[in-house]
Amino acid sequence: MFELESQLIFVPESNGEVGEWKFAPTIEYGINDALAVGLEIEFEQESGETLQFSEIGLQAKLVLVDPEVAAAGLGVQSSVIFDRSGRVGFETYFIIEHIRDELNVLGNLIVSGEPGDWSALSTSYVGRVDHAIGGNFSVGMETGGELSGDSKGRHWVGPVLHIAADEASLVPSVELSAFAPLSRKTPDFQLRLELDWAF
C-alpha cells in the first residue's frame, strides 16, 4: 500500500528568531504489515526569503509489536538525511503505542544527528492522546520538547483535530494542530496542517 502525506508547519517570529514555513511531502510504501519504506523531501521559507529545498530523507519503519493485538505496540523508524550541501545526518524514532476502543496513546523518543555534525546528538520526545468521536473524527492533545541539543529546553502542548477519509477515497484525511509554548525558549505559537492519502 502506498501512502502520501503532506505536512505544512508555520512558526511565527518570536524570541529573536525569524518566522518560518516548512513544507514536507512524504511518500511511503508498505512492503508488508511490519515493514515500510519511504522518501521525505523538506522545503523551508524564512521570513523575507523564497521557498527553498532543505533536505531529503530515506526512511524505513519497522513494527516490532503490533498495537492492534498487544497491550503496547512497539516500533522503530529511522531516516538517513541529506541536506542541500550533501552532508549526511540521521533521525530515529523509538515508538510505543496503545490502541483500545476509542482511545489511542502514542509516545516517541527521537534521537537525531544534524547533517554534517554528529558531535552532539539531539534527543526529543512527543506524546499524544487521541479520542475517537464517531467513525471519522477524533480529538486529542499532543505535547513534545527537546531534551538535548541546540534546542534543549523547548517544550510545547496543544490540541489536535483529525478527520479521517473514507477508505479508497480521493479526498485526504486532514489533521490540524495548534501548539502553545511551555517554556520561554519555545516559539510563541506553532500551527501544523497534515493531509494524508492512502491508496
Side-chain angles (χ1 to χ4, degrees):
M1 182 179 74
F2 280 99
E3 183 174 351
L4 176 63
E5 179 183 286
S6 176
Q7 186 177 94
L8 181 66
I9 300 173
F10 170 63
V11 182
E13 182 178 350
S14 64
N15 297 338
E17 297 186 12
V18 298
E20 185 178 45
W21 289 89
K22 289 186 178 181
F23 172 61
T26 303
I27 187 166
E28 185 177 278
Y29 175 68
I31 296 174
N32 52 43
D33 291 341
L35 179 62
V37 294
L39 176 70
E40 180 182 54
I41 305 173
E42 184 176 295
F43 301 87
E44 61 182 25
Q45 179 184 14
E46 295 184 349
S47 297
E49 302 292 336
T50 59
L51 183 69
Q52 59 181 337
F53 166 75
S54 174
E55 60 188 35
I56 187 169
L58 305 174
Q59 65 185 34
K61 182 178 180 179
L62 179 63
V63 177
L64 302 172
V65 180
D66 188 346
E68 297 286 352
V69 298
L74 299 173
V76 60
Q77 177 178 305
S78 193
S79 302
V80 178
I81 299 168
F82 303 89
D83 68 9
R84 56 177 170 259
S85 299
R87 296 172 297 187
V88 181
F90 78 93
E91 185 174 61
T92 298
Y93 286 68
F94 299 95
I95 306 163
I96 184 168
E97 186 173 16
H98 172 78
I99 300 175
R100 282 298 176 270
D101 300 323
E102 293 85 16
L103 189 67
N104 186 25
V105 182
L106 178 69
N108 292 328
L109 178 66
I110 306 120
V111 179
S112 59
E114 288 294 319
D117 182 10
W118 294 20
S119 59
L121 301 183
S122 297
T123 308
S124 58
Y125 69 93
V126 174
R128 176 164 165 173
V129 177
D130 289 290
H131 186 271
I133 303 174
N136 296 84
F137 295 88
S138 65
V139 294
M141 291 293 291
E142 184 174 318
T143 186
E146 306 290 339
L147 302 174
S148 65
D150 292 341
S151 300
K152 179 181 178 180
R154 291 186 176 184
H155 303 278
W156 44 264
V157 67
V160 180
L161 171 65
H162 184 83
I163 305 171
D166 293 330
E167 190 173 344
S169 173
L170 295 178
V171 176
S173 298
V174 179
E175 185 172 288
L176 182 63
S177 315
F179 302 112
L182 293 176
S183 66
R184 292 184 178 180
K185 288 187 174 183
T186 312
D188 292 335
F189 174 77
Q190 298 179 60
L191 185 65
R192 184 181 71 207
L193 173 66
E194 291 187 16
L195 303 177
D196 193 357
W197 292 264
F199 52 92

